[in-house]
Amino acid sequence: MSKLKLGLPAGSLKESTLEIFKKAGYNVNVSDRSYYPYIDDEEIECVLIRAQEIPIYVQENILDVGLTGKDWITEMSADVEEVAELTYSRSGLRPVRLVLAVPYDSGIESVKELEGKKIATELVHTTRKYLEENGVNASVVYSWGATEVKPPVLADAISELTETGRSLKANNLKILETILVSTPRLIVNKESWQDSWKKKKIENMITLLQGALFAEQKVALKMNVSENNLQNVMEMLPALRKPTVSNLFEGGWVAVETVVDEKDVKDLIGKLKDAGAEGIIEYPLNKIVP
Amino acid sequence: MSKLKLGLPAGSLKESTLEIFKKAGYNVNVSDRSYYPYIDDEEIECVLIRAQEIPIYVQENILDVGLTGKDWITEMSADVEEVAELTYSRSGLRPVRLVLAVPYDSGIESVKELEGKKIATELVHTTRKYLEENGVNASVVYSWGATEVKPPVLADAISELTETGRSLKANNLKILETILVSTPRLIVNKESWQDSWKKKKIENMITLLQGALFAEQKVALKMNVSENNLQNVMEMLPALRKPTVSNLFEGGWVAVETVVDEKDVKDLIGKLKDAGAEGIIEYPLNKIVP
Amino acid sequence: MSKLKLGLPAGSLKESTLEIFKKAGYNVNVSDRSYYPYIDDEEIECVLIRAQEIPIYVQENILDVGLTGKDWITEMSADVEEVAELTYSRSGLRPVRLVLAVPYDSGIESVKELEGKKIATELVHTTRKYLEENGVNASVVYSWGATEVKPPVLADAISELTETGRSLKANNLKILETILVSTPRLIVNKESWQDSWKKKKIENMITLLQGALFAEQKVALKMNVSENNLQNVMEMLPALRKPTVSNLFEGGWVAVETVVDEKDVKDLIGKLKDAGAEGIIEYPLNKIVP
Amino acid sequence: MSKLKLGLPAGSLKESTLEIFKKAGYNVNVSDRSYYPYIDDEEIECVLIRAQEIPIYVQENILDVGLTGKDWITEMSADVEEVAELTYSRSGLRPVRLVLAVPYDSGIESVKELEGKKIATELVHTTRKYLEENGVNASVVYSWGATEVKPPVLADAISELTETGRSLKANNLKILETILVSTPRLIVNKESWQDSWKKKKIENMITLLQGALFAEQKVALKMNVSENNLQNVMEMLPALRKPTVSNLFEGGWVAVETVVDEKDVKDLIGKLKDAGAEGIIEYPLNKIVP
Amino acid sequence: MSKLKLGLPAGSLKESTLEIFKKAGYNVNVSDRSYYPYIDDEEIECVLIRAQEIPIYVQENILDVGLTGKDWITEMSADVEEVAELTYSRSGLRPVRLVLAVPYDSGIESVKELEGKKIATELVHTTRKYLEENGVNASVVYSWGATEVKPPVLADAISELTETGRSLKANNLKILETILVSTPRLIVNKESWQDSWKKKKIENMITLLQGALFAEQKVALKMNVSENNLQNVMEMLPALRKPTVSNLFEGGWVAVETVVDEKDVKDLIGKLKDAGAEGIIEYPLNKIVP
Amino acid sequence: MSKLKLGLPAGSLKESTLEIFKKAGYNVNVSDRSYYPYIDDEEIECVLIRAQEIPIYVQENILDVGLTGKDWITEMSADVEEVAELTYSRSGLRPVRLVLAVPYDSGIESVKELEGKKIATELVHTTRKYLEENGVNASVVYSWGATEVKPPVLADAISELTETGRSLKANNLKILETILVSTPRLIVNKESWQDSWKKKKIENMITLLQGALFAEQKVALKMNVSENNLQNVMEMLPALRKPTVSNLFEGGWVAVETVVDEKDVKDLIGKLKDAGAEGIIEYPLNKIVP
């Protein structure tokens, strides 16, 4: 039997990745702490490894397909196909950024002033390349973690991944510039992408993952409307998906159902009530395939 | 930009509060243990503090609006507008009560017998006021926690918050009387409540929170009914929301859909099947705005 | 008031059992670590005990009804009514099996070669009976846990429960044979089963539990179809539940809604799109009563 | 090379057992959670298993020697040599007792009143034998844990191990009688005890373990005394070990050194100062072999 | 039997307090999380409560004696005898200080500039008194914890206990002034201090606790010296305790033994070797009573 | 003031390193999770970083002196002075080794057979160099952790640090060869080693650390001997340190005191008793400077 070898990230992306795969219809069971979890698709073999390692294993054809961040794809200069961007909805958080940061009281205000300085980072190549592009000569050294505590004793500046900037601030560091904005990507080995069976399987996976991601930001709304108010209510509903109209048991009334952006609901509900909608209910969705 | 300053409780109410805000459509991100979490509404600034502190910060206009328990609003005699009661559904648990309790073998049977005794509590003012109203003189001392282990060595009685009474029982204490029954409340600073922009924003928040709370206790039922049995089935369905009737692909049959109390489903399903309903499905709701 | 005494398993089955009861409509609150949790049905008294103990307590009429595994019902030779098998969906995991296992390098290849050996197990009776049926004389000793580390120093072989076989493999053990495949069962005391009030209450519980289990493997699909494509789309939909057809607000289009196996969705979505379905949404179900 | 196979208890006795072996001079390394820890004596092979299992493994000659409690030796009726009692000093705690306990409000006051009752316990045989000796017929059933929460719903009484009685009290149980007082014992297989090499090795182990246990309750005291006061001071020192007398650099003074019971030090120090001792220092001991 | 009621602090001081009591010879067993731990002195009854509560319980004669910090004795204005200061040695850390702190970028540089500001603190009275003494009017409000995150949103400044200042710095706060330096104290009820039995018992406790604290900072040194070098070596040894001189088995050599400050050992050893000392050994002490 | 900048390892070596520094007389306080812990020597500035990073920071003169493993000094080809080997006593464990390991069933029996294979490791340079020395061409790739689970799916072999080999065995890997045996080393920057103040300070640190390490493997023995038996007893005592002989208060007896290897005590005690020694006591040592 043909098998698709899939690499999933074991670190900070793990929980949200497994959740989105579950919503997409792929149950990955990691209950016994194995690095080779069970997935309920007999044609897929699953490996949990560090996000850093996935680009190389995909490039080397040890894995057919992997999910990792743009940051590590860039750092590794991996020669792979990047076939989908998967912007996990994370409760409104900004995406991960790789930033240059220096101590507040360092007096350094721009990347140019890093000339001749020591910079600690986990993404050495990406940082070096950025500095070169900016015409800056600096010593970039690999940091095995706790990078944000290195300045000013062990480094003059750092290049570090951050979501909220909070950890930087707590260490009295200010952000100079953003080197890279990173989101999760699905990457595929170039040979595997030529294999029609694998390609079709991966494309189906993308459809399902994006359907699940899309649904995370939507909800379904259902409401009762008297026939008189139907036109008014309809004008308020966004055109995301054609609304359904069903009869109520009680004559003269219809039920209208549609899908809207979750973030719009807060404002929409009041307007719908004003336009004559009653008994508005909202329910969750697993997946939307437009 | 105008900002609404919102205080949420950091302690035992935290998880259930964040969950109900999430269902209402407000995503509050506390992943990095900050006391100033991110909320996905640019017009709101959010603070996580102890429930005890919220009444005063709202009264003093440091916060516009806060969520806290009736217990601490009472204890603090806070001069605030109490604009909504939010009875979180907690899997059937009774609400929090402030009770007077004494050791089983103390011989004390009524509040009157606390005359001259030592009473430990975290809610000193509320307890003192209750004793005064009952004409009892007793020494009420503040307890910094572990109140239920204080009798009989360090106190004669306690006045303590309890949900199930289990911790009291495990410490061989019996409840004499209930001083107060407490549920979560939304409170607003009196000045902020005069500000029309803030008032409208808070009222919308209440609609959404109550819609989410209401939905927690409801589910949607959908079932197939032959046209012959429709009248019978309809008579069984509670009138919470006008039922929808749609045609099935197969002639002579309709689909009926409605919203019912979750606690009624256990009994209702048998009756609906007897009345001719088939293929009954139940699905969850996020929000109901009547 | 009549009361039904219900035993639920406290160990590894606990979380999934409470979850399926919740979906069935029974909220069991174990928040304060009690062994006598609160259940939101006044006619039921609930006890959390070890799965091993439930068969005897049901047999002895200390409990009316209990949920436990086939493994322990067999081991205890309990004289009870086995009224339902509840195959919890566990993300595709194989069910629990009781297997005979020996060290890889023991040279033992079949159950016959266990003649005269020492076998450690938590299920002594079941193991002994199986060996007798196979004409093997061996010394079976009770193991208080960590059974899989006993060979080769403390035992020659073990008889052990396993889901994935991973722990056996990590201890260099290979499986010889499967003695028993076990799934959760609802068992009832024989006298209680004669009591018509209790029987009706238990049967209702079974309907709801099975409705919840059934729903775990299904999802609802809703899609927009132009009237031209309706017949094509209908032919693709499995006949699990009669599809509903409603009109869209836009003429010439209908909404089709049905229930399908979750595991089929991965393949079905592509085919539906090919057949002309648009705006496919999937949403979760709590319960299905056919 | 000859090897002595030693079983150490994996459960509640583990930490204190490893500590006393360490003081005796045997370093047992369990850092990687193995059940076969490393011990720094090449002639010993060490196994960590449940205290319950040790008596049978020693009886069956799978182990030469084991450390377990008197409770499980009794329960298992193990045919072994009991060669040493090791009363671990546990900060003044009473030893473990197996007691019969009933609910406070059960009205039961003596073992005789257990006639016809249900008794849950982990030590079925010991409990049954005790009841028989007292002429009581009762149903004794094995309990897989959480025994103290079983009355009154699942049992009328329990027979349970306890150190402080606190857990019993917290479950509203009172102690009727003590069936057994248990301390740790070193047990030896009868054949191994005939082997002179093994016997000598075990006897040396006993000397060292007892030397370490003895030292746990002692401390060394050293003090300066002028020659005039020497006789007075000497009369106060207990005769545990002959005191040493050394000269100080300063003439007319001597240093006295001796070993005393730690529990006596609190009173002794004041008396010694009164008798003219100065610069009293106390230091810890690893081991004392009288 | 007479009993001395002793209160020990349950919070951050707990571990170090129990350790120093253990060294002093009082074993306090808190293994089962009780608030009434067992102490191996039958004449003492022990209670573990919050450091904040101890001053009042001692003042009110509910406890005879208690160990708490100077900070809470001051805050509570407790009318008690302060009979001993116990400066726990904490690996070189500075003692706890109550400090006034403001955000780095607040522009506030002195206590005077707090006029009219809001100050959050757990020690309201002490803070108010300090401000009054400095002629500053400010609003001091009680903080239920997480005080250091309150500025600048919820307070302008804080008054907070700190050892290292690290948590303040991490929250971008700078220290303005120190209100109070606090160390642990033994406090006694005024009546109990008049009771001669209690007084003697407490004085003995102080001797032992101070002996243990004193020993924490000392070690014993023993070394071999040829008689020729004895005078030189002697001149280097500090006069803390009269050195002992014993003969070695080998003629012409003596062993010298003394007690020195642990912090001096680092420098002393090199000098002693230079002066002719050989085979220097250092060993730990439990207690020193001068 | 001159300062010595010292790097200590933050990972698996941390606890044992801090303990040996404590015994040597350097108290390092890391209680508030800082990477810049407090050390009670004003002339030292302490940094906690990963063992991997220390060689480079010392080479670059960011640190004067650091403690790290031989493994990482080798891997980093750091140009530093290696001034002391510190063989921490770890309860009899073998030192850390870097080994080549392959799956048991790989058929690979020697390093030569790794030709053309993929090898995962955290020590890429050391592994590559070893393979080159053995004339083997193989692809060595960096592994970000969980290296032992990579074969056979993600690698053919691994080069991994191990103490007991247990984790390798649990992953069905066998050791082919040992590349390197690693122990902790103190390394010094080459310039700093020329600075006489720094050199003297580091040499003193080495004396104290080695004194503490030496003492970990020794204990002091003290015993009473009648003058008749003195010669016999003396012949049995190892010559590690000249024994002391003091008089007992009782005539005709002397006290003998000496230092011996802890591992010899188990055998020595029996022999000493046979030779007439009585009241043997053993006590622990902090430090020994020969």
Side-chain angles (χ1 to χ4, degrees), chain D residues 32 97 111 132 144 195 246:
Chain D
D32 45 2
R97 289 175 300 148
V111 63
E132 275 165 28
W144 261 264
D195 177 314
S246 323

Side-chain angles (χ1 to χ4, degrees), chain A residues 196-258:
Chain A
S196 64
W197 179 83
K198 288 183 180 176
K199 189 171 186 182
K200 195 168 165 49
K201 194 146 184 78
I202 292 165
E203 283 175 340
N204 192 31
M205 188 184 283
I206 295 170
T207 300
L208 295 166
L209 286 168
Q210 285 179 332
L213 280 170
F214 196 51
E216 282 212 330
Q217 294 155 22
K218 312 286 172 193
V219 290
L221 281 191
K222 203 178 280 193
M223 66 209 78
N224 295 341
V225 187
S226 79
E227 286 165 358
N228 299 338
N229 292 324
L230 184 57
Q231 194 60 39
N232 290 345
V233 166
M234 278 302 167
E235 280 163 13
M236 274 168 185
L237 293 177
L240 258 171
R241 188 173 167 277
K242 297 179 182 100
T244 312
V245 178
S246 325
N247 295 317
L248 294 195
F249 188 64
E250 186 184 331
W253 284 77
V254 292
V256 174
E257 185 176 357
T258 192

Side-chain angles (χ1 to χ4, degrees), chain C residues 9-282:
Chain C
S12 62
L13 279 173
K14 182 174 132 186
E15 286 315 314
S16 50
T17 300
L18 293 184
E19 200 184 319
I20 206 67
F21 269 77
K22 190 178 168 60
K23 282 189 181 161
Y26 300 94
N27 288 298
V28 181
N29 187 284
V30 291
S31 66
D32 44 1
R33 294 166 187 267
S34 167
Y35 290 85
Y36 298 97
Y38 175 90
I39 186 167
D40 64 345
D41 180 327
E42 295 200 329
E43 296 171 345
I44 301 179
E45 228 175 72
C46 194
V47 183
L48 264 181
I49 45 177
R50 297 284 293 271
Q52 293 95 316
E53 300 180 317
I54 288 177
I56 296 307
Y57 282 121
V58 170
Q59 175 188 293
E60 299 287 308
N61 210 357
I62 294 172
L63 299 174
D64 292 304
V65 54
L67 199 148
T68 186
K70 180 68 181 173
D71 43 4
W72 288 105
I73 304 170
T74 305
E75 175 68 11
M76 294 300 165
S77 307
D79 188 23
V80 297
E81 294 288 341
E82 208 178 296
V83 297
E85 180 173 8
L86 298 166
T87 45
Y88 298 174
S89 146
R90 303 201 210 192
S91 316
L93 274 191
R94 287 131 282 177
V96 173
R97 289 175 301 147
L98 179 67
V99 299
L100 279 168
V102 293
Y104 270 110
D105 53 7
S106 65
I108 297 174
E109 298 293 339
S110 76
V111 62
K112 294 290 183 199
E113 297 171 53
L114 293 178
E115 184 72 27
K117 300 295 185 189
K118 284 209 181 68
I119 301 169
T121 185
E122 281 185 83
L123 290 100
V124 170
H125 298 133
T126 311
T127 304
R128 277 197 190 131
K129 200 171 153 220
Y130 182 83
L131 291 170
E132 275 165 29
E133 287 167 8
N134 283 270
V136 175
N137 280 306
S139 155
V140 180
V141 290
Y142 184 69
S143 166
W144 260 264
T147 311
E148 71 279 7
V149 307
K150 295 220 157 79
V153 177
L154 302 173
D156 300 304
I158 66 171
S159 158
E160 176 74 337
L161 293 166
T162 183
E163 276 188 16
T164 60
R166 199 117 43 193
S167 172
L168 296 173
K169 208 174 155 194
N171 285 286
N172 291 307
L173 299 173
K174 71 177 170 199
I175 294 176
L176 281 188
E177 309 217 3
T178 294
I179 296 178
L180 183 86
V181 176
S182 177
T183 51
R185 308 290 164 103
L186 205 68
I187 55 175
V188 183
N189 174 268
K190 293 201 155 173
E191 245 175 75
S192 305
W193 198 234
Q194 301 306 317
D195 176 311
S196 65
W197 179 83
K198 289 183 180 177
K199 188 171 186 182
K200 195 167 166 51
K201 195 146 183 79
I202 294 166
E203 283 174 340
N204 193 31
M205 188 183 283
I206 295 170
T207 300
L208 295 166
L209 287 167
Q210 285 180 332
L213 281 170
F214 196 52
E216 282 214 328
Q217 295 156 21
K218 313 287 171 190
V219 290
L221 283 190
K222 204 177 280 194
M223 66 209 78
N224 295 340
V225 187
S226 80
E227 283 164 2
N228 299 338
N229 292 325
L230 184 59
Q231 193 61 39
N232 288 346
V233 165
M234 277 302 167
E235 279 163 15
M236 270 166 190
L237 292 177
L240 256 172
R241 187 171 167 279
K242 299 181 182 98
T244 310
V245 178
S246 324
N247 295 318
L248 295 196
F249 189 63
E250 186 182 333
W253 284 77
V254 294
V256 174
E257 183 176 359
T258 192
V259 170
V260 301
D261 267 15
E262 197 204 349
K263 69 177 168 43
D264 294 339
V265 170
K266 281 184 284 197
D267 295 328
L268 194 58
I269 278 181
K271 292 178 193 162
L272 288 170
K273 285 182 72 173
D274 291 349
E278 289 185 9
I280 305 171
I281 67 172
E282 178 197 309

Side-chain angles (χ1 to χ4, degrees), chain D residues 87-136:
Chain D
T87 46
Y88 297 174
S89 148
R90 299 199 211 198
S91 316
L93 274 191
R94 285 131 279 178
V96 172
R97 289 175 300 148
L98 179 66
V99 299
L100 279 168
V102 292
Y104 269 110
D105 53 8
S106 65
I108 297 174
E109 299 294 338
S110 76
V111 63
K112 294 292 183 197
E113 297 169 53
L114 293 177
E115 182 73 27
K117 301 293 183 188
K118 285 204 180 72
I119 301 169
T121 185
E122 280 187 83
L123 291 99
V124 170
H125 298 133
T126 310
T127 304
R128 276 196 190 130
K129 199 170 154 225
Y130 182 82
L131 291 171
E132 275 165 28
E133 287 167 8
N134 282 271
V136 175

Side-chain angles (χ1 to χ4, degrees), chain E residues 118-145:
Chain E
K118 282 203 183 73
I119 301 169
T121 185
E122 282 185 81
L123 290 98
V124 170
H125 298 133
T126 311
T127 303
R128 276 196 191 131
K129 200 172 153 220
Y130 182 83
L131 291 170
E132 276 164 28
E133 287 166 9
N134 283 273
V136 174
N137 280 306
S139 153
V140 180
V141 290
Y142 185 69
S143 166
W144 261 265

Side-chain angles (χ1 to χ4, degrees), chain D:
Chain D
M1 184 197 295
S2 288
K3 285 272 190 184
L4 188 75
K5 280 188 276 185
L6 166 67
L8 298 180
S12 61
L13 279 173
K14 182 174 134 186
E15 286 315 316
S16 50
T17 300
L18 294 183
E19 201 183 318
I20 206 67
F21 268 77
K22 188 176 170 60
K23 282 189 182 160
Y26 300 95
N27 289 297
V28 180
N29 188 285
V30 290
S31 68
D32 45 2
R33 296 169 185 264
S34 167
Y35 292 85
Y36 299 96
Y38 175 88
I39 186 167
D40 65 344
D41 181 327
E42 295 200 330
E43 296 170 347
I44 300 180
E45 229 176 73
C46 195
V47 183
L48 262 182
I49 45 176
R50 297 284 293 269
Q52 292 95 315
E53 300 180 317
I54 288 176
I56 296 306
Y57 282 121
V58 170
Q59 175 189 294
E60 300 286 310
N61 210 357
I62 294 174
L63 300 173
D64 292 304
V65 54
L67 198 147
T68 186
K70 181 66 181 172
D71 44 4
W72 289 105
I73 304 169
T74 305
E75 175 69 11
M76 294 299 166
S77 307
D79 188 22
V80 297
E81 294 288 341
E82 208 178 295
V83 297
E85 179 173 8
L86 298 166
T87 46
Y88 297 174
S89 148
R90 299 199 211 198
S91 316
L93 274 191
R94 285 131 279 178
V96 172
R97 289 175 300 148
L98 179 66
V99 299
L100 279 168
V102 292
Y104 269 110
D105 53 8
S106 65
I108 297 174
E109 299 294 338
S110 76
V111 63
K112 294 292 183 197
E113 297 169 53
L114 293 177
E115 182 73 27
K117 301 293 183 188
K118 285 204 180 72
I119 301 169
T121 185
E122 280 187 83
L123 291 99
V124 170
H125 298 133
T126 310
T127 304
R128 276 196 190 130
K129 199 170 154 225
Y130 182 82
L131 291 171
E132 275 165 28
E133 287 167 8
N134 282 271
V136 175
N137 280 305
S139 155
V140 180
V141 291
Y142 185 69
S143 167
W144 261 264
T147 311
E148 72 279 7
V149 307
K150 294 216 158 80
V153 177
L154 303 172
D156 301 304
I158 64 172
S159 157
E160 177 73 337
L161 294 166
T162 184
E163 275 189 17
T164 61
R166 199 115 45 192
S167 172
L168 296 173
K169 208 175 155 191
N171 284 286
N172 290 307
L173 299 172
K174 71 177 170 200
I175 294 177
L176 281 189
E177 309 215 3
T178 295
I179 295 178
L180 184 86
V181 175
S182 177
T183 52
R185 309 290 164 102
L186 206 68
I187 56 175
V188 183
N189 174 266
K190 293 200 155 175
E191 247 177 73
S192 305
W193 198 234
Q194 300 306 319
D195 177 314
S196 64
W197 179 85
K198 289 184 180 175
K199 189 172 186 182
K200 198 169 161 49
K201 198 152 179 72
I202 293 165
E203 282 174 340
N204 192 30
M205 188 183 282
I206 295 170
T207 300
L208 295 165
L209 287 168
Q210 284 179 334
L213 281 171
F214 197 50
E216 282 213 329
Q217 295 155 22
K218 312 285 173 195
V219 291
L221 283 191
K222 204 178 281 195
M223 67 209 76
N224 295 341
V225 187
S226 79
E227 284 165 1
N228 298 338
N229 292 325
L230 183 57
Q231 194 60 40
N232 288 346
V233 165
M234 276 302 165
E235 281 162 15
M236 268 164 191
L237 293 177
L240 259 168
R241 191 175 163 275
K242 299 182 182 98
T244 311
V245 178
S246 323
N247 295 318
L248 295 196
F249 188 63
E250 185 183 333
W253 284 77
V254 293
V256 174
E257 183 176 359
T258 192
V259 169
V260 300
D261 267 16
E262 198 204 348
K263 69 178 167 43
D264 294 338
V265 170
K266 280 184 285 195
D267 294 327
L268 195 57
I269 278 182
K271 292 179 194 161
L272 289 169
K273 286 184 70 176
D274 291 349
E278 289 185 10
I280 305 170
I281 66 173
E282 178 197 308
Y283 60 90
L285 302 172
N286 280 352
K287 218 172 277 164
I288 303 180
V289 182

